[in-house]
mmCIF file of all heavy atoms in Angstrom:
data_model
loop_
_atom_site.group_PDB
_atom_site.id
_atom_site.type_symbol
_atom_site.label_atom_id
_atom_site.label_comp_id
_atom_site.label_asym_id
_atom_site.label_seq_id
_atom_site.Cartn_x
_atom_site.Cartn_y
_atom_site.Cartn_z
ATOM 1 N N LEU K 24 105.759 -11.320 -6.253
ATOM 2 C CA LEU K 24 105.085 -11.556 -7.469
ATOM 3 C C LEU K 24 103.728 -12.135 -7.162
ATOM 4 O O LEU K 24 102.747 -11.818 -7.861
ATOM 5 C CB LEU K 24 105.767 -12.496 -8.369
ATOM 6 C CG LEU K 24 107.133 -11.872 -8.983
ATOM 7 C CD1 LEU K 24 108.003 -12.999 -9.537
ATOM 8 C CD2 LEU K 24 106.724 -10.932 -10.201
ATOM 9 N N HIS K 25 103.675 -12.984 -5.977
ATOM 10 C CA HIS K 25 102.284 -13.526 -5.710
ATOM 11 C C HIS K 25 101.380 -12.306 -5.287
ATOM 12 O O HIS K 25 100.264 -12.537 -5.543
ATOM 13 C CB HIS K 25 102.519 -14.568 -4.606
ATOM 14 C CG HIS K 25 101.322 -15.353 -4.386
ATOM 15 N ND1 HIS K 25 101.090 -16.609 -5.046
ATOM 16 C CD2 HIS K 25 100.206 -15.156 -3.621
ATOM 17 C CE1 HIS K 25 99.779 -16.950 -4.708
ATOM 18 N NE2 HIS K 25 99.285 -16.159 -3.824
ATOM 19 N N ARG K 26 101.956 -11.403 -4.530
ATOM 20 C CA ARG K 26 101.086 -10.332 -3.999
ATOM 21 C C ARG K 26 100.488 -9.459 -5.261
ATOM 22 O O ARG K 26 99.461 -8.833 -5.021
ATOM 23 C CB ARG K 26 101.915 -9.445 -3.170
ATOM 24 C CG ARG K 26 101.807 -9.791 -1.633
ATOM 25 C CD ARG K 26 102.511 -8.684 -0.893
ATOM 26 N NE ARG K 26 102.975 -9.386 0.354
ATOM 27 C CZ ARG K 26 104.216 -9.603 0.606
ATOM 28 N NH1 ARG K 26 105.184 -9.184 -0.242
ATOM 29 N NH2 ARG K 26 104.614 -10.252 1.639
ATOM 30 N N LEU K 27 101.223 -9.446 -6.316
ATOM 31 C CA LEU K 27 100.862 -8.496 -7.385
ATOM 32 C C LEU K 27 100.483 -9.264 -8.684
ATOM 33 O O LEU K 27 101.226 -8.962 -9.730
ATOM 34 C CB LEU K 27 102.000 -7.493 -7.620
ATOM 35 C CG LEU K 27 102.288 -6.575 -6.456
ATOM 36 C CD1 LEU K 27 103.573 -5.784 -6.563
ATOM 37 C CD2 LEU K 27 101.002 -5.679 -6.106
ATOM 38 N N PRO K 28 99.582 -10.193 -8.646
ATOM 39 C CA PRO K 28 99.359 -10.909 -9.782
ATOM 40 C C PRO K 28 98.474 -10.073 -10.903
ATOM 41 O O PRO K 28 97.785 -9.106 -10.478
ATOM 42 C CB PRO K 28 98.384 -12.040 -9.353
ATOM 43 C CG PRO K 28 97.632 -11.352 -8.174
ATOM 44 C CD PRO K 28 98.628 -10.476 -7.491
ATOM 45 N N GLU K 29 98.820 -10.348 -12.159
ATOM 46 C CA GLU K 29 98.184 -9.712 -13.225
ATOM 47 C C GLU K 29 97.744 -10.607 -14.255
ATOM 48 O O GLU K 29 98.218 -11.654 -14.580
ATOM 49 C CB GLU K 29 99.233 -8.609 -13.776
ATOM 50 C CG GLU K 29 99.566 -7.562 -12.844
ATOM 51 C CD GLU K 29 100.597 -6.664 -13.409
ATOM 52 O OE1 GLU K 29 101.776 -7.220 -13.606
ATOM 53 O OE2 GLU K 29 100.415 -5.491 -13.619
ATOM 54 N N LEU K 30 96.594 -10.221 -14.869
ATOM 55 C CA LEU K 30 95.949 -11.013 -15.903
ATOM 56 C C LEU K 30 96.870 -11.084 -17.230
ATOM 57 O O LEU K 30 97.657 -10.214 -17.424
ATOM 58 C CB LEU K 30 94.542 -10.652 -16.220
ATOM 59 C CG LEU K 30 93.551 -10.837 -14.947
ATOM 60 C CD1 LEU K 30 92.225 -10.101 -15.394
ATOM 61 C CD2 LEU K 30 93.350 -12.355 -14.657
ATOM 62 N N SER K 31 96.413 -12.083 -18.020
ATOM 63 C CA SER K 31 97.053 -12.235 -19.280
ATOM 64 C C SER K 31 97.257 -11.075 -20.138
ATOM 65 O O SER K 31 96.139 -10.413 -20.350
ATOM 66 C CB SER K 31 96.479 -13.422 -19.983
ATOM 67 O OG SER K 31 96.257 -14.527 -19.186
ATOM 68 N N PHE K 32 98.304 -10.810 -20.700
ATOM 69 C CA PHE K 32 98.672 -9.685 -21.713
ATOM 70 C C PHE K 32 98.628 -8.319 -20.953
ATOM 71 O O PHE K 32 98.688 -7.322 -21.526
ATOM 72 C CB PHE K 32 97.687 -9.552 -22.789
ATOM 73 C CG PHE K 32 97.677 -10.774 -23.652
ATOM 74 C CD1 PHE K 32 96.659 -11.709 -23.832
ATOM 75 C CD2 PHE K 32 98.749 -10.946 -24.558
ATOM 76 C CE1 PHE K 32 96.697 -12.752 -24.566
ATOM 77 C CE2 PHE K 32 98.845 -12.080 -25.513
ATOM 78 C CZ PHE K 32 97.712 -12.979 -25.516
ATOM 79 N N ARG K 33 98.461 -8.299 -19.611
ATOM 80 C CA ARG K 33 98.404 -7.175 -18.833
ATOM 81 C C ARG K 33 99.515 -7.074 -17.698
ATOM 82 O O ARG K 33 99.261 -6.569 -16.708
ATOM 83 C CB ARG K 33 97.056 -6.741 -18.231
ATOM 84 C CG ARG K 33 95.984 -6.772 -19.228
ATOM 85 C CD ARG K 33 94.707 -6.237 -18.663
ATOM 86 N NE ARG K 33 93.635 -7.126 -19.023
ATOM 87 C CZ ARG K 33 92.477 -7.159 -18.340
ATOM 88 N NH1 ARG K 33 92.282 -6.425 -17.185
ATOM 89 N NH2 ARG K 33 91.523 -7.885 -18.711
ATOM 90 N N GLU K 34 100.642 -7.770 -18.011
ATOM 91 C CA GLU K 34 101.524 -8.115 -16.814
ATOM 92 C C GLU K 34 102.522 -6.861 -16.649
ATOM 93 O O GLU K 34 103.712 -7.096 -16.559
ATOM 94 C CB GLU K 34 102.317 -9.351 -17.169
ATOM 95 C CG GLU K 34 101.516 -10.612 -17.426
ATOM 96 C CD GLU K 34 101.114 -10.861 -18.728
ATOM 97 O OE1 GLU K 34 101.301 -9.894 -19.538
ATOM 98 O OE2 GLU K 34 100.722 -11.953 -18.981
ATOM 99 N N GLU K 35 102.032 -5.595 -16.796
ATOM 100 C CA GLU K 35 102.922 -4.517 -16.612
ATOM 101 C C GLU K 35 103.798 -4.282 -15.470
ATOM 102 O O GLU K 35 104.997 -4.218 -15.520
ATOM 103 C CB GLU K 35 102.127 -3.069 -16.884
ATOM 104 C CG GLU K 35 101.813 -2.835 -18.275
ATOM 105 C CD GLU K 35 100.483 -3.441 -18.633
ATOM 106 O OE1 GLU K 35 99.683 -3.942 -17.716
ATOM 107 O OE2 GLU K 35 99.984 -3.342 -19.826
ATOM 108 N N ASN K 36 103.155 -4.515 -14.240
ATOM 109 C CA ASN K 36 103.966 -4.414 -13.002
ATOM 110 C C ASN K 36 104.947 -5.610 -12.779
ATOM 111 O O ASN K 36 106.098 -5.490 -12.397
ATOM 112 C CB ASN K 36 103.035 -4.285 -11.758
ATOM 113 C CG ASN K 36 102.282 -2.978 -11.844
ATOM 114 O OD1 ASN K 36 102.737 -1.879 -12.294
ATOM 115 N ND2 ASN K 36 100.991 -3.091 -11.328
ATOM 116 N N THR K 37 104.408 -6.735 -13.185
ATOM 117 C CA THR K 37 105.133 -7.910 -13.134
ATOM 118 C C THR K 37 106.454 -7.787 -14.002
ATOM 119 O O THR K 37 107.626 -8.120 -13.594
ATOM 120 C CB THR K 37 104.366 -9.101 -13.727
ATOM 121 O OG1 THR K 37 103.134 -9.264 -12.975
ATOM 122 C CG2 THR K 37 105.155 -10.418 -13.619
ATOM 123 N N SER K 38 106.306 -7.236 -15.207
ATOM 124 C CA SER K 38 107.348 -7.011 -16.168
ATOM 125 C C SER K 38 108.343 -5.989 -15.589
ATOM 126 O O SER K 38 109.505 -6.188 -15.622
ATOM 127 C CB SER K 38 106.819 -6.520 -17.485
ATOM 128 O OG SER K 38 107.747 -6.385 -18.550
ATOM 129 N N SER K 39 107.845 -4.915 -14.978
ATOM 130 C CA SER K 39 108.717 -3.839 -14.441
ATOM 131 C C SER K 39 109.563 -4.387 -13.317
ATOM 132 O O SER K 39 110.737 -4.135 -13.127
ATOM 133 C CB SER K 39 107.785 -2.691 -13.863
ATOM 134 O OG SER K 39 107.076 -2.145 -14.702
ATOM 135 N N TYR K 40 108.906 -5.320 -12.495
ATOM 136 C CA TYR K 40 109.679 -5.899 -11.270
ATOM 137 C C TYR K 40 110.785 -6.849 -11.869
ATOM 138 O O TYR K 40 111.874 -6.743 -11.536
ATOM 139 C CB TYR K 40 108.688 -6.837 -10.498
ATOM 140 C CG TYR K 40 109.334 -7.421 -9.248
ATOM 141 C CD1 TYR K 40 109.755 -6.603 -8.233
ATOM 142 C CD2 TYR K 40 109.719 -8.803 -9.286
ATOM 143 C CE1 TYR K 40 110.386 -7.182 -7.255
ATOM 144 C CE2 TYR K 40 110.274 -9.313 -8.227
ATOM 145 C CZ TYR K 40 110.722 -8.526 -7.145
ATOM 146 O OH TYR K 40 111.248 -9.095 -6.102
ATOM 147 N N LEU K 41 110.465 -7.625 -12.878
ATOM 148 C CA LEU K 41 111.413 -8.518 -13.460
ATOM 149 C C LEU K 41 112.589 -7.791 -14.079
ATOM 150 O O LEU K 41 113.799 -8.072 -13.900
ATOM 151 C CB LEU K 41 110.871 -9.481 -14.541
ATOM 152 C CG LEU K 41 109.902 -10.441 -13.978
ATOM 153 C CD1 LEU K 41 109.230 -11.172 -15.179
ATOM 154 C CD2 LEU K 41 110.471 -11.472 -13.104
ATOM 155 N N LYS K 42 112.319 -6.632 -14.811
ATOM 156 C CA LYS K 42 113.284 -5.779 -15.418
ATOM 157 C C LYS K 42 114.211 -5.182 -14.321
ATOM 158 O O LYS K 42 115.400 -5.203 -14.536
ATOM 159 C CB LYS K 42 112.539 -4.755 -16.195
ATOM 160 C CG LYS K 42 112.083 -5.305 -17.439
ATOM 161 C CD LYS K 42 111.143 -4.274 -18.221
ATOM 162 C CE LYS K 42 110.454 -4.855 -19.428
ATOM 163 N NZ LYS K 42 109.185 -3.992 -19.841
#
Side-chain angles (χ1 to χ4, degrees):
L24 291 162
H25 191 89
R26 267 190 209 106
L27 298 171
E29 293 172 296
L30 292 174
S31 312
F32 297 108
R33 296 190 232 160
E34 305 91 343
E35 278 90 10
N36 294 326
T37 306
S38 184
S39 300
Y40 181 75
L41 295 172
K42 289 166 185 167

